[in-house]
Amino acid sequence: GVSGLVKTVNVSVGQKVTAGQVLATEDTTSLQASLDSAQAQVASAQSKLDTDIQGATASQLSSAQNQIASARLTLSTAQQNVTNTEQSNAQSLAAAQSAVQSAETTLSQDQNTYQQDQSSLSAAQQKESYDCQGDASGAAAGSGTGTGGSGSGSAGGSSSSACTADQSAVASDQTKVNQDQTTVNKDQSAVQSAQQSLQSTQLKNAQGLQQAQNQVASDQLALNNAESSLTALQTSTTPAQLQADRASVASAEAGLAT
């Protein structure tokens, strides 16, 4: 017998009943669900047994072969993508390295110019110091006597002119040095920026290549699985497998009977 829930009771206590009269009804919802599940298990087990006895159909083999062809195409595309990524990485890396080298070359040239202009400034300052010091001495000597003062005044005028020219040269050279320093600072920033760009390119290239290689590995696994599936379809079912299939059918039928 089976147990279940009473859905309706059609008689009351002490009521007279007749043979064949329905006294109560049972809720069969859960019983029907169990029956459906058991029948589905029997059908599934029987289907596997039938398939193993008959072997793979032409449609199944064709489908498996098509899956292999598709997997091979996908793998080939992924492998080509790895090659393309490596080529693209090489080009972007070369460009980034070239940018660093160019920035460093410019910096080196401007640093040389800065050093040369500093040397010119130092020489101009030394000349200015000599000429202007001489001008001051001449002016002091010229103020000593009248006649001598006239002669010294002429020499002092020549020295004063040289001092003025020296001061102008020093100012000009100082401007050049200041401009050179500004240029060098900019060059140094450009080198740092190029180096950072190079590092970013190297990281991006590594990540892109890793992704492409991971895709190849995934597609290779998919191809291996597709080939294994075809091999399984093409392989004859062993007696042991058939025996196991029949046991599954018997078990499912026993479950249905209960």
Side-chain angles (χ1 to χ4, degrees):
V2 295
S3 61
L5 297 176
V6 175
K7 183 176 183 181
T8 62
V9 177
N10 301 326
V11 295
S12 59
V13 177
Q15 179 181 342
K16 293 182 178 181
V17 297
T18 59
Q21 181 180 349
V22 176
L23 304 181
T25 59
E26 183 180 11
D27 186 352
T28 60
T29 302
S30 60
L31 294 176
Q32 186 61 49
S34 298
L35 177 61
D36 292 342
S37 175
Q39 289 175 334
Q41 291 177 1
V42 170
S44 176
Q46 186 63 54
S47 176
K48 187 174 188 307
L49 173 60
D50 294 341
T51 299
D52 288 345
I53 291 175
Q54 296 173 3
T57 65
S59 176
Q60 289 174 325
L61 291 173
S62 177
S63 177
Q65 290 168 342
N66 289 338
Q67 288 179 348
I68 289 176
S70 177
R72 285 175 176 168
L73 178 60
T74 301
L75 175 60
S76 176
T77 300
Q79 290 171 332
Q80 182 61 50
N81 185 49
V82 169
T83 300
N84 294 342
T85 299
E86 290 174 338
Q87 293 175 347
S88 176
N89 286 355
Q91 292 173 355
S92 61
L93 180 61
Q97 290 173 331
S98 177
V100 171
Q101 183 177 5
S102 177
E104 290 176 340
T105 298
T106 299
L107 172 61
S108 178
Q109 292 172 344
D110 289 339
Q111 284 175 329
N112 289 337
T113 299
Y114 173 70
Q115 292 173 353
Q116 291 172 358
D117 288 344
Q118 273 191 321
S119 296
S120 297
L121 173 61
S122 179
Q125 288 172 332
Q126 290 179 356
K127 187 172 185 302
E128 175 196 25
S129 176
Y130 176 80
D131 289 343
C132 292
Q133 183 178 6
D135 184 29
S137 299
S143 63
T145 59
T147 304
S150 175
S152 296
S154 174
S158 175
S159 179
S160 177
S161 176
C163 177
T164 300
D166 292 344
Q167 290 172 337
S168 177
V170 167
S172 177
D173 288 347
Q174 184 64 63
T175 298
K176 288 182 180 180
V177 168
N178 293 342
Q179 291 174 343
D180 292 343
Q181 183 63 65
T182 299
T183 299
V184 167
N185 291 341
K186 290 181 179 179
D187 291 345
Q188 290 173 335
S189 296
V191 168
Q192 292 177 352
S193 177
Q195 290 173 337
Q196 291 173 351
S197 179
L198 174 59
Q199 293 175 350
S200 177
T201 297
Q202 290 172 327
L203 177 60
K204 181 180 178 181
N205 287 355
Q207 291 174 339
L209 181 58
Q210 185 62 57
Q211 290 176 350
Q213 291 172 336
N214 289 344
Q215 188 61 54
V216 167
S218 176
D219 292 343
Q220 181 65 63
L221 179 60
L223 175 58
N224 293 343
N225 291 338
E227 291 174 339
S228 296
S229 296
L230 177 60
T231 300
L233 289 175
Q234 292 173 331
T235 302
S236 299
T237 305
T238 64
Q241 181 61 54
L242 291 176
Q243 183 178 358
D245 291 345
R246 292 189 177 95
S248 296
V249 171
S251 176
E253 289 175 340
L256 177 61
T258 58

